[in-house]
């Protein structure tokens, strides 16, 4: 595999000056109360991009106060859904107008491929806003058929002030996956981007203001999880927390909610998703899918197909083709359009992935390809495929969150189902077969929130997405996500003037 020269990005794009580095509270960019800042690092080089305001508990308190006032007294929850939707549409248009700059920010902050950012991530973020803008004036309760002389109906009301805690792997998509349905519902919010990737979230705060989102509706607190994140999940004045991140931190968020005000929580957590490839599959296509499933976004995606099960009839052919194709996968400068894999997000993630690779070797798995860092600077890792992997090895059980595949052979459908389900996670699964009976049987038998048949990463904003088992609960995307930010009020009145009522 080729490693492109690092630091040559300026030949592809001009990297702009970083405009927004402060917290965004009540419609203003402000310093943190402590005056502290933290470095955000460019994973292409390991160098500092900018210093960003470091929000702490006191800053979260101010942001929650602004969001609370905006919810309890401000216009946003009181506007018609149609009016909210129009402002959200304007917000989406502003994203489209700034797509190049936003894609650059996510590339320098997270190491994401610039072309994907420009053509997929940022346009999809705007598309998600528009999807929920269209839903904002279609939020209805029900008329109820009561068993007595009563009439009743339900109102769907916004849940209140929401805390969104966001991970670093899809800074723009995750921001809008969470913010858009909450805006449509009429909620106000405090958003905490991951400390690795604060840049685009602050830019979105600026665009929200330009679009006419009232002050206090969206507040952005940049800072660390143990401080700003923990202050959100334990806050007494936040009504709901929507979290995406690791299973360990998800547990902390739930504990904090339980021991504070019992706020509602939704968690989208880790995964160890299986891709099951049957004997009748087209081997070339299956190899492409398997590589994409683990190498897209350099494996930093919770639905990555990190366990690939291949049926014995095509296993040897599959292994040979996979080894050949993996070697042609270009790793390097994420601004270079010929590159397919940029750097891991930071040094911590880079070290963690490499230590899992060492662990896999020690456990007795065989490296088919990759296994080493690459490039002279930055956090680049070769596409790595292990064979001779046993189900009980750590590399087959833990979420590595990097470009590391465990490739395994199976004989029967039942064996594939049992081994695919042999994980504490249940986020996604892929099935490759042309046999409808096999596809139907396996898709109904896998305990996971999303099943992709003859495709992978087939996300769509209309398709609910979330986990079974320890991959969490609650759904992002689709109208399910809108309902996370609504609560039901029942209104009851007698039909006749009954003496007993
Ligand atoms: P990862 O392991 O993928 O880095 P994390 O779960 O650590 O993911 O981080 C996801 C998000 O959760 C980030 O915004 C991070 O700052 C935040 N976070 C980390 N620790 C906590 C915590 N104790 N409470 C609340 N949020 C946290």
């Amino acid at each position: 595999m080729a490693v492109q020269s690092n630091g040559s990005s300026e030949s592809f794009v001009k990297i702009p000056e970083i405009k927004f580095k402060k917290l965004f509270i009540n419609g203003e960019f402000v310093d943190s109360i402590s005056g502290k800042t933290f470095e955000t690092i460019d994973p292409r080089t390991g160098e500092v991009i900018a210093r960003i305001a470091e929000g702490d508990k006191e800053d979260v308190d101010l942001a929650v106060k602004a969001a609370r006032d905006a919810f309890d007294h401000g216009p946003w929850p009181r506007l018609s859904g149609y009016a909210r939707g129009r402002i959200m549409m304007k917000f989406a248009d502003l994203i489209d107008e700034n797509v190049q700059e936003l894609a650059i920010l996510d590339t320098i902050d997270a190491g994401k491929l610039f072309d994907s950012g420009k053509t997929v991530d940022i346009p999809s973020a705007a598309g998600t806003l528009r999807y929920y803008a269209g839903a904002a004036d279609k939020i209805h309760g029900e008329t109820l058929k009561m068993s007595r002389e009563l009439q009743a109906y339900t109102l769907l009301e916004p849940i209140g002030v929401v805390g969104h805690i966001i991970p670093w792997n899809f800074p723009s998509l995750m921001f809008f996956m969470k913010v858009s349905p909450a805006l449509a519902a009429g909620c106000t919010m405090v958003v905490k981007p991951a400390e690795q990737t604060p840049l685009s979230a602050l830019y979105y705060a600026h665009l929200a203001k330009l679009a006419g989102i009232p002050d206090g509706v969206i507040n952005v607190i940049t800072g660390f999880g143990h401080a700003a994140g923990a202050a959100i999940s334990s806050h007494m004045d936040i009504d709901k927390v929507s979290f995406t991140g690791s299973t360990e931190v998800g547990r902390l968020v739930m504990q904090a909610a339980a021991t504070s005000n019992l706020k509602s929580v939704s968690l989208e957590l880790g995964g160890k998703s299986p891709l099951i490839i049957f004997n009748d599959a087209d081997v070339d296509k299956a190899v492409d899918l398997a590589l994409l499933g683990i190498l897209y976004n350099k494996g930093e995606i919770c639905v990555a197909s990190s366990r690939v099960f291949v049926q014995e009839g095509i296993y040897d052919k599959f292994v040979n083709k996979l080894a050949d194709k993996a070697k042609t996968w270009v790793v390097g400068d994420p601004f270079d359009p010929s590159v397919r894999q940029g750097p891991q997000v930071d040094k911590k993630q880079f070290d963690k992935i490499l230590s899992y690779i060492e662990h896999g070797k020690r456990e007795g798995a065989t490296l088919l390809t990759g296994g080493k860092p690459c490039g002279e600077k930055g956090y680049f890792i070769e596409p790595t495929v292990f064979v001779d992997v046993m189900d009980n090895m750590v590399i087959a059980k833990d979420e590595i969150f990097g470009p590391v595949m465990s490739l395994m052979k199976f004989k029967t459908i039942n064996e594939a189902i049992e081994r695919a389900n042999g994980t504490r996670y249940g986020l996604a699964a892929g099935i490759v077969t042309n046999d409808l009976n096999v596809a139907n049987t396996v898709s109904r038998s896998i305990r996971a929130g999303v099943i992709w048949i003859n495709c992978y990463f087939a996300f769509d904003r209309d398709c609910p997405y979330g986990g079974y088992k320890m991959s969490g609960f609650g759904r992002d995307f689709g109208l399910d996500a809108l309902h996370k930010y609504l609560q039901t009020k029942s209104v009851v009145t007698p039909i006749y003037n009954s003496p007993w009522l």
Side-chain angles (χ1 to χ4, degrees), residues 121-258:
D121 288 51
I122 314 294
S124 299
T128 300
L129 248 182
R130 291 194 183 97
Y131 174 86
Y132 288 104
D137 59 357
K138 298 168 194 71
I139 297 172
H140 306 295
E142 290 179 325
T143 306
L144 306 176
K145 206 170 166 195
M146 307 286 273
S147 62
R148 295 187 284 147
E149 295 297 306
L150 298 167
Q151 66 174 356
Y153 61 90
T154 57
L155 291 173
L156 295 183
E157 298 190 331
I159 202 162
V161 175
V162 179
H164 297 294
I165 302 178
I166 294 182
W168 42 259
N169 56 342
F170 286 85
S172 292
L173 274 177
M174 292 285 172
F175 187 98
F176 286 98
M177 191 189 240
K178 297 201 177 289
V179 164
S180 314
L183 281 177
C187 294
T188 63
M189 58 209 76
V190 178
V191 187
K192 198 204 86 60
E195 48 271 44
Q196 295 87 343
T197 53
L199 299 179
S200 55
L202 292 173
Y203 204 107
Y204 291 126
H206 159 70
L207 296 183
K209 177 145 181 142
L210 282 186
I213 304 255
D215 293 349
V217 173
I218 298 180
N219 304 273
V220 177
I221 298 292
T222 45
F224 292 95
H226 60 82
I232 289 173
S233 41
S234 61
H235 207 289
M236 292 299 287
D237 259 340
I238 290 185
D239 301 297
K240 175 180 180 72
V241 171
S242 175
F243 171 82
T244 298
S246 60
T247 299
E248 297 69 36
V249 175
R251 195 189 293 278
L252 293 177
V253 168
M254 206 165 158
Q255 274 166 354

